[in-house]
Structure formats: C-alpha cells, structure tokens
Amino acid sequence: MNTADIFNTAGLGLATGLALIVAIGAQNAFVLRQGIRGEHIGPIVAVCALSDAVLIAAGVLGIGALIAAAPAAVVILRFVGAAFLVTYGAMAARRALRSQALLAGDGSSYPGKRGLAAAVTTMLALTWLNPHVYLDIALLGSIASAQGTQLQWWFGIGAMVGSVLWFSALGFGARFLRGFFAKPLAWRFLDGGIAVTMTALGIGLALGA
C-alpha cells in the first residue's frame, strides 16, 4: 500500500459517497429548509455527518450483509418510514398554504420557529427511518470490501469526508438564498416542493419502490 493507493481509494470513497448523498430526498430537503431559515444549522449538519459516519463505518464492517439477512426488519422499517414521510409531507403542505416569510434580514425571526430538540429529532427520524439508507450501506460495504483490508477504511473515510462537505455546503450555503425567501410566495414554493417530495418518497416506500 502506497500513498497513491490511499488517495485513489479515498477519492473513490468521496465520489461514491457524494453520488449517494447528492440527490433530492427527505434528508437534503430538511437540511436545506433549516439552512434557509438559519435555524440550528450546526447541530443539524453535525447530526447528518455523524449519522453518515456511523452508517458508513457499519457498511465497511460488513453490517450490510446482516441487514440483507433480515428482510422482515427492513419491511417494518419501510412502513414506519413511509408513514413518517407522508406525515411530514402533510405538514409541509399545510405550511405551503400559509403566508410566511423571513421577518428579519438575518433569518433569526420567522413564523413557526422550531426548537432544537424537535429539529434534531426530525433529522434523526428522516435519516434512520429511511430504508434506502440501509441499501446504501450494503452498496458502500461491498465497494469498500473490494478495495482490500488495507484500503477499505480509506474508502470509508473518503465517503465520510464527502458527507461532511455536502451537508456543510447545503446547510451553511443556504443562507445565500435568504433574500429570495424573504417573500412568502418563495416559501410556499419551497414547502410545496418539500410536500410533494416527502409524500412521493413515502408512497414509494410503502409500495416497495
């Protein structure tokens, strides 16, 4: 094992991790919304990054094989996750029907402010109740194992770095959109999009898609 192998393997892990994370989904939609609102961004990004680190480590350790061997547990999780996503989608749809906007230029005051505990709990649920994340674990684990025992953890580290970079950019970078979201109509479009995304994901999970 040499330095070039380490960097190449870590780069592969980074690219693979980003490919799985950078997509329109429940987790990203929630982080984006929190970032625009300027609400508990640090803790939310930390929860996402730490959760992904645990999941990626589990994949490298081969936990994905255990998950694949317990289809009943995955089915139960699928329906619980589907119910949660549809419920959250309904809440977003309700918000979309209301007129709301950022009341201050720094985004520190706005209707419906969410407490830290509620925000973190929601983020944890969106992350851990999504059965697709466990499929990603199995995929990452299989790719990591293909790198060999000496390099598989470098692959995992690369994927973890990708997670940190993405969620930091999404959460902290969303502040540049606050001017646009000072308009109530913009929030209605965002929440409407989140409602459609969450509901579609929930129905898809329930139908096994």
Side-chain angles (χ1 to χ4, degrees):
M1 180 176 64
N2 54 48
T3 303
D5 290 334
I6 291 174
F7 276 104
N8 288 338
T9 303
L12 176 62
L14 175 67
T16 304
L18 287 174
L20 294 174
I21 296 170
V22 181
I24 298 174
Q27 191 183 41
N28 286 339
F30 186 75
V31 174
L32 178 62
R33 192 173 195 279
Q34 293 298 112
I36 292 172
R37 290 163 67 106
E39 185 180 53
H40 313 307
I41 306 172
I44 290 298
V45 170
V47 167
C48 291
L50 289 173
S51 293
D52 273 11
V54 172
L55 291 166
I56 290 168
V60 174
L61 288 170
I63 303 300
L66 295 178
I67 294 171
V74 175
V75 170
I76 293 172
L77 189 64
R78 175 160 61 88
F79 283 106
V80 172
F84 180 83
L85 288 173
V86 171
T87 300
Y88 192 89
M91 293 169 60
R94 182 181 179 186
R95 288 195 304 266
L97 297 176
R98 296 178 176 178
S99 176
Q100 69 171 348
L102 295 177
L103 302 181
D106 61 358
S108 60
S109 178
Y110 41 78
K113 189 169 184 178
R114 180 189 298 266
L116 175 60
V120 169
T121 300
T122 300
M123 190 72 265
L124 287 170
L126 290 172
T127 301
W128 291 89
L129 290 181
N130 179 10
H132 289 165
V133 76
Y134 299 101
L135 298 177
D136 291 344
I137 286 177
L139 175 60
L140 282 171
S142 64
I143 299 176
S145 64
Q147 310 308 308
T149 55
Q150 290 186 314
L151 290 170
Q152 62 181 3
W153 280 107
W154 288 108
F155 176 90
I157 290 172
M160 293 176 192
V161 170
S163 175
V164 172
L165 291 176
W166 169 251
F167 287 117
S168 295
L170 187 63
F172 292 104
R175 64 188 179 88
F176 295 108
L177 298 174
R178 288 180 190 168
F180 176 74
F181 282 95
K183 304 173 183 179
L185 183 60
W187 274 106
R188 288 186 170 181
F189 274 116
L190 177 64
D191 280 325
I194 290 175
V196 171
T197 299
M198 299 289 190
T199 303
L201 287 172
I203 294 174
L205 282 179
L207 296 177

